[in-house]
Amino acid sequence: MAPQIMVSVEGLKKNFLRGKKTIRVLKGVDFQVHAGEMVAVVGPSGAGKSTLLHILGTLDQPSEGRLLIDGQDIFRSLPHHLASFRNRTIGFVFQFHHLLPEFNALQNTMMPVLIQRAPRAKAEKMAVEMLEQVGLSNRLDHRPVELSGGEQQRVALARALVMRPKLLLADEPTGNLDDNTARGVHQLLFNMNQKYGMTTIVVTHNLHLAHSMNRCFSLQDGLILDEGIDAKGKEAE
């Protein structure tokens, strides 16, 4: 039985207007990612990696092309349906943790559950469980300023995973961390993928991380040049 397709990108283009000039960032991107697969997207700065990830996360819309997530033609949805789908189905981890400074680790992690209008007791229970899994059970009441960089990113990961999303998107998730801390966060990504079977797409300049994943896509000048390269650099079947 063929693996289920979780993400299907078809002819994706993205243009931006700069004054009277049109900047073509994505020029016709096509690829598929299977359910439960871990995929890296690499490429030079300015290649369109973050733009692609924002579209995959429905934070931005393409100029042309289609995005299917879990079989749903996502940009055909009404805006309020799209927002609900995003919160339930997609988790985000960014290079900068984007934690709310006035809230502690537990409160930050609860946010996606509360947005879904779940009871506060349920949200707190889910957040505590996820923070325990990322090794922060003793830091629940600490605010971001009281946490190390690695701990802040673990809170961001817990927040991204608290709804048990089918799709996890990460944009340079360890770009601001030292090597040892980065390796710990990388391992967490792999552990969570194995535990929950979520599809994971990571934009990164870290080639060690990229080549540890199932496949690695190379995005250059708005196009996928190498698709389906496995961790050993051989063409994936």
Side-chain angles (χ1 to χ4, degrees):
M1 186 175 180
Q4 177 188 350
I5 300 297
M6 182 63 189
V7 176
S8 182
V9 174
E10 303 174 0
L12 209 64
K13 297 182 181 181
K14 182 62 179 180
N15 303 325
F16 294 96
L17 284 177
R18 296 287 184 269
K20 296 182 179 180
K21 186 177 181 181
T22 299
I23 309 297
R24 299 171 64 219
V25 178
L26 299 177
K27 302 175 181 178
V29 173
D30 297 273
F31 65 87
Q32 294 181 331
V33 180
H34 297 126
E37 193 174 17
M38 296 192 78
V39 168
V41 180
V42 300
S45 297
K49 301 186 303 298
S50 292
T51 298
L52 174 61
L53 204 70
H54 287 169
I55 293 174
L56 294 178
T58 73
L59 298 175
D60 197 2
Q61 295 202 21
S63 303
E64 295 182 37
R66 289 205 310 165
L67 169 64
L68 282 76
I69 299 179
D70 202 19
Q72 182 172 335
D73 192 346
I74 200 64
F75 291 116
R76 288 183 176 271
S77 302
L78 295 173
H80 65 282
H81 289 152
L82 185 58
S84 178
F85 176 88
R86 181 191 307 122
N87 191 57
R88 286 183 287 104
T89 309
I90 305 174
F92 299 89
V93 183
F94 299 103
Q95 179 175 358
F96 301 100
H97 52 76
H98 296 301
L99 300 177
L100 298 173
E102 66 271 28
F103 295 138
N104 61 30
L106 178 60
Q107 292 164 334
N108 268 285
T109 305
M110 290 167 58
M111 286 297 171
V113 190
L114 293 175
I115 288 172
Q116 285 294 107
R117 300 175 184 255
R120 188 173 184 85
K122 178 181 179 180
E124 183 170 333
K125 181 176 183 292
M126 292 173 67
V128 168
E129 289 175 354
M130 190 53 68
L131 285 165
E132 287 175 348
Q133 293 192 46
V134 301
L136 291 176
S137 57
N138 62 337
R139 310 291 270 176
L140 302 182
D141 61 350
H142 288 64
R143 294 185 180 183
V145 71
E146 300 171 305
L147 301 171
S148 69
E151 288 171 334
Q152 290 173 6
Q153 198 63 311
R154 283 171 179 254
V155 174
L157 181 57
R159 180 183 59 190
L161 297 176
V162 71
M163 291 289 292
R164 309 293 196 273
K166 292 183 177 181
L167 176 63
L168 177 66
L169 304 174
D171 191 357
E172 294 289 359
T174 58
N176 289 317
L177 303 178
D178 63 78
D179 288 345
N180 286 335
T181 305
R183 280 193 291 270
V185 174
H186 293 168
Q187 190 58 52
L188 269 174
L189 289 172
F190 286 106
N191 291 347
M192 294 295 132
N193 169 263
Q194 291 173 4
K195 181 161 187 174
Y196 297 110
M198 69 187 67
T199 307
T200 305
I201 301 176
V202 179
V203 162
T204 183
H205 283 104
N206 187 314
L207 294 182
H208 175 74
L209 172 62
H211 291 159
S212 298
M213 297 197 165
N214 301 127
R215 287 190 293 156
C216 181
F217 295 88
S218 178
L219 183 66
Q220 298 186 40
D221 194 28
L223 292 168
I224 295 286
L225 298 186
D226 293 316
E227 180 181 347
I229 304 301
D230 68 15
K232 296 180 181 179
K234 299 177 181 178
E235 187 175 346
E237 297 181 358

